[in-house]
């Protein structure tokens, strides 16, 4: 079977994927969710002209020179407006956030006044409009301030609250069911028997998917039997998973049962094996509405494939505006050999020179089982198929790995 190019495989994974339906959630639950539609302000902020400082609300015509003396006729605090008009020769004590009373058009800060009983003397001339937040200076009712497809940050939530939204329309989180396969796997903290290893793939995959906005359903570890693997596929379908991820068992050995189980359950396989390293035995298919991605068992292959294919799929199902990873230009920190027909994603470290140039240096050992090197890497160095040998200082492209 010919190996599918990476770009074609990604197109197949994303083909037909659409943002999941809208649901309403409370503000506190909307953090890092994807807004499903544009939102217009339900109110004007501030609704009236308000003082930006503690001081006195005055008429600029009365307080336009130092030495002017004004009578204080009342007080305005935030939430307690003054119900009289400021007339000639008058001032009103005002605090930050207080509504500017009728007749006043400037605020003299308290440091620029001398208090003398019920009067003040101006020590610095007032300027019309100074220290006043005019009505609507932040936003006006009907202004569209939050747009669909954006991932809601902490600042967005504060803005939405000020716009008077107690709940927000967001896309439903995709349900991602994860099933590991292999009799050789034991859980962390257990003592591996002969030929067994500690299961590690799922922890990175779950964290990666959660960080992108997915809801995780852990199906555990399936034994190396066709029945156990098939039952796992059925469970994922029955619980309504939008995406099922399998790890291991996607190769061609006698105990690699994932493809057989998927075939038995009627999964339409779009591709199996792609022209990339690490991660050649990647598999993708559909079972009704559920998308299935079969990841390799080697931990580095599993992670790199999930980063390249699962992350964009989750982003698209979440309704994000930016789906694809962004490549960055860099220069090689050391020479690299010519490449073969498979696109390489070399684990690499990054440094930044004084002139701002980004230098990428592949780690020494690229074996797909080496988690230590993966954890130490900050980027994937992309080596296209049949790329010629390149010397240190040559231009190249990278993908940054998640930093947190």
């Amino acid at each position: 079977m010919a190996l599918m190019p990476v770009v074609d495989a990604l197109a197949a994974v994303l083909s037909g994927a659409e943002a999941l339906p809208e649901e309403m959630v409370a503000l506190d639950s909307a953090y890092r969710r994807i807004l499903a539609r544009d939102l217009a302000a339900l109110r004007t902020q501030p609704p009236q002209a308000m003082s930006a400082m503690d001081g006195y609300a005055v008429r600029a015509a009365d307080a336009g020179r130092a030495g002017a003396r004004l009578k204080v006729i009342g007080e305005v605090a935030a939430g307690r407006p003054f119900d009289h008009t400021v007339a000639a020769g008058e001032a009103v004590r005002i605090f930050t956030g207080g509504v500017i009373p009728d007749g006043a058009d400037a605020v003299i800060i308290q440091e620029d006044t001398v208090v003398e009983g019920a009067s003040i003397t101006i020590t610095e001339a007032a300027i019309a409009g100074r220290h006043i937040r005019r009505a609507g200076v932040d936003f006006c009712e009907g202004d569209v301030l939050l747009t669909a497809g954006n991932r809601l940050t902490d600042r967005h939530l504060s803005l939405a609250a000020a716009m008077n939204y107690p709940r927000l329309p967001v896309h439903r989180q995709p349900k991602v069911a994860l099933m590991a396969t292999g009799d050789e796997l034991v859980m962390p903290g257990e003592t591996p028997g002969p030929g067994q290893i500690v299961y590690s793939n799922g922890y990175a995959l779950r964290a990666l998917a959660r960080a992108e906005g997915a809801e995780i359903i852990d199906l555990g570890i399936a034994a190396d039997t066709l029945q156990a693997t098939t039952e796992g596929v059925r469970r994922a379908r029955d619980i309504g998973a939008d995406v099922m991820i399998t790890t291991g068992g996607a190769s061609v050995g006698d105990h690699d049962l994932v493809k057989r189980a998927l075939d038995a359950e009627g999964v339409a396989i779009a591709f199996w094996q792609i022209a990339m390293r690490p991660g050649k035995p990647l598999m993708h298919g559909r079972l009704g509405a559920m998308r299935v991605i079969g990841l390799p068992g080697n931990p580095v292959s599993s992670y790199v494939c999930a980063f390249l294919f699962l992350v964009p799929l989750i982003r698209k199902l979440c309704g994000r505006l930016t789906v694809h990873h962004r490549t960055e230009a860099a220069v090689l920190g050391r020479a690299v050999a010519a490449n073969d027909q498979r696109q390489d994603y070399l684990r690499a470290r990054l440094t930044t020179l004084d002139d701002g140039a980004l230098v990428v240096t592949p780690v020494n050992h690229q074996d797909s089982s080496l988690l230590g090197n993966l954890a130490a890497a900050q980027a994937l160095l992309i080596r296209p198929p049949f790329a010629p040998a390149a010397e240190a200082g040559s231009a190249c492209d990278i993908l940054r790995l998640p930093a947190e």
Side-chain angles (χ1 to χ4, degrees), residues 234-259:
R234 291 173 182 168
R235 284 181 60 200
R237 177 198 61 199
D238 292 345
I239 61 181
D242 300 292
V243 182
M244 181 185 186
I245 302 296
T246 64
T247 65
S251 195
V252 294
D254 292 342
H255 299 283
D256 293 316
L257 303 171
V258 170
K259 187 174 185 303

Side-chain angles (χ1 to χ4, degrees), residues 16 20 22 32 39 157-158 164 178 197 219 266 281 305 329 338 354 392:
L20 295 172
E22 172 188 313
R32 305 194 81 181
L39 293 184
L157 298 187
S158 183
N164 210 23
L178 175 63
I197 59 173
L219 300 179
C305 287
D354 291 341

Side-chain angles (χ1 to χ4, degrees), residues 360-399:
V360 58
T361 305
V363 299
N364 290 330
H365 301 289
Q366 293 288 327
D367 187 277
S368 60
S369 67
L370 303 181
L371 275 172
N373 278 342
L374 176 64
Q378 298 155 303
L380 298 176
L381 166 60
I382 305 171
R383 295 283 290 156
F386 303 110
E391 297 298 320
S394 300
C396 61
D397 288 329
I398 66 164
L399 294 172

Side-chain angles (χ1 to χ4, degrees), residues 278-321:
K280 174 185 172 183
L282 182 73
M283 186 185 308
H284 171 61
R286 294 281 296 271
L287 180 58
M290 184 174 74
R291 298 166 183 274
V292 181
I293 298 178
L295 299 175
N298 277 322
V300 177
S301 301
S302 174
Y303 181 85
V304 171
C305 287
F307 177 72
L308 294 175
F309 296 95
L310 175 60
V311 167
L313 176 58
I314 291 174
R315 290 176 178 176
K316 194 164 186 182
L317 294 175
C318 284
R320 288 185 67 170
L321 296 176

Side-chain angles (χ1 to χ4, degrees), residues 90-369:
E90 295 179 339
V92 171
R93 181 73 165 113
I94 196 166
F95 297 93
T96 302
V99 175
I100 302 297
D102 290 342
D105 60 1
V107 170
I108 291 286
I109 62 174
Q110 60 190 25
E111 295 90 337
D112 293 337
T113 64
V114 175
V115 179
E116 301 171 293
S119 299
I120 58 170
T121 299
I122 306 299
T123 60
E124 183 171 326
I127 299 174
R130 192 173 188 183
H131 304 310
I132 293 177
R133 297 171 181 149
R134 61 176 175 78
V137 67
D138 195 355
F139 54 80
C140 294
E141 183 177 348
D143 289 348
V144 175
L145 304 175
L146 295 170
T147 54
N150 281 303
R151 196 175 198 188
L152 294 166
T153 66
D154 44 8
R155 285 98 63 205
H156 290 142
L157 298 187
S158 183
L159 174 59
M163 293 164 64
N164 210 23
Y165 284 94
R167 297 167 62 81
L168 296 179
V170 296
H171 289 291
R172 180 174 67 78
Q173 294 177 284
K175 295 180 181 179
V176 175
L178 175 63
M179 180 181 73
T181 64
D183 291 337
E184 76 278 13
L185 301 177
V186 299
M187 296 300 292
E190 297 181 9
T191 301
Q196 291 187 310
I197 59 173
V198 176
Y199 174 53
S200 60
N201 293 12
Y203 296 92
L205 299 179
R206 288 194 292 270
L208 189 67
R210 284 194 188 103
E212 294 296 334
E215 175 187 341
I216 305 301
I217 303 163
D218 189 1
L219 300 179
I221 302 172
D224 275 332
T225 67
L226 183 59
Q227 178 180 350
T229 308
T230 302
E231 287 176 354
V233 177
R234 291 173 182 168
R235 284 181 60 200
R237 177 198 61 199
D238 292 345
I239 61 181
D242 300 292
V243 182
M244 181 185 186
I245 302 296
T246 64
T247 65
S251 195
V252 294
D254 292 342
H255 299 283
D256 293 316
L257 303 171
V258 170
K259 187 174 185 303
R260 289 168 56 188
L262 295 177
D263 288 339
E265 287 303 299
V267 174
I269 301 297
F271 63 79
W272 178 38
Q273 302 189 356
I274 60 175
M276 67 175 283
R277 183 188 298 106
K280 174 185 172 183
L282 182 73
M283 186 185 308
H284 171 61
R286 294 281 296 271
L287 180 58
M290 184 174 74
R291 298 166 183 274
V292 181
I293 298 178
L295 299 175
N298 277 322
V300 177
S301 301
S302 174
Y303 181 85
V304 171
C305 287
F307 177 72
L308 294 175
F309 296 95
L310 175 60
V311 167
L313 176 58
I314 291 174
R315 290 176 178 176
K316 194 164 186 182
L317 294 175
C318 284
R320 288 185 67 170
L321 296 176
T322 302
V323 171
H324 296 282
H325 295 296
R326 183 173 64 88
T327 60
E328 295 182 60
V331 295
L332 291 173
R334 67 171 173 84
V336 293
N339 197 19
D340 60 14
Q341 75 273 15
R342 292 160 67 184
Q343 182 150 302
D344 260 350
Y345 293 90
L346 303 177
R347 281 69 70 202
R349 294 183 174 89
L350 296 177
T351 55
T352 303
L353 301 181
D354 291 341
D355 63 1
L358 193 61
V359 179
V360 58
T361 305
V363 299
N364 290 330
H365 301 289
Q366 293 288 327
D367 187 277
S368 60
S369 67

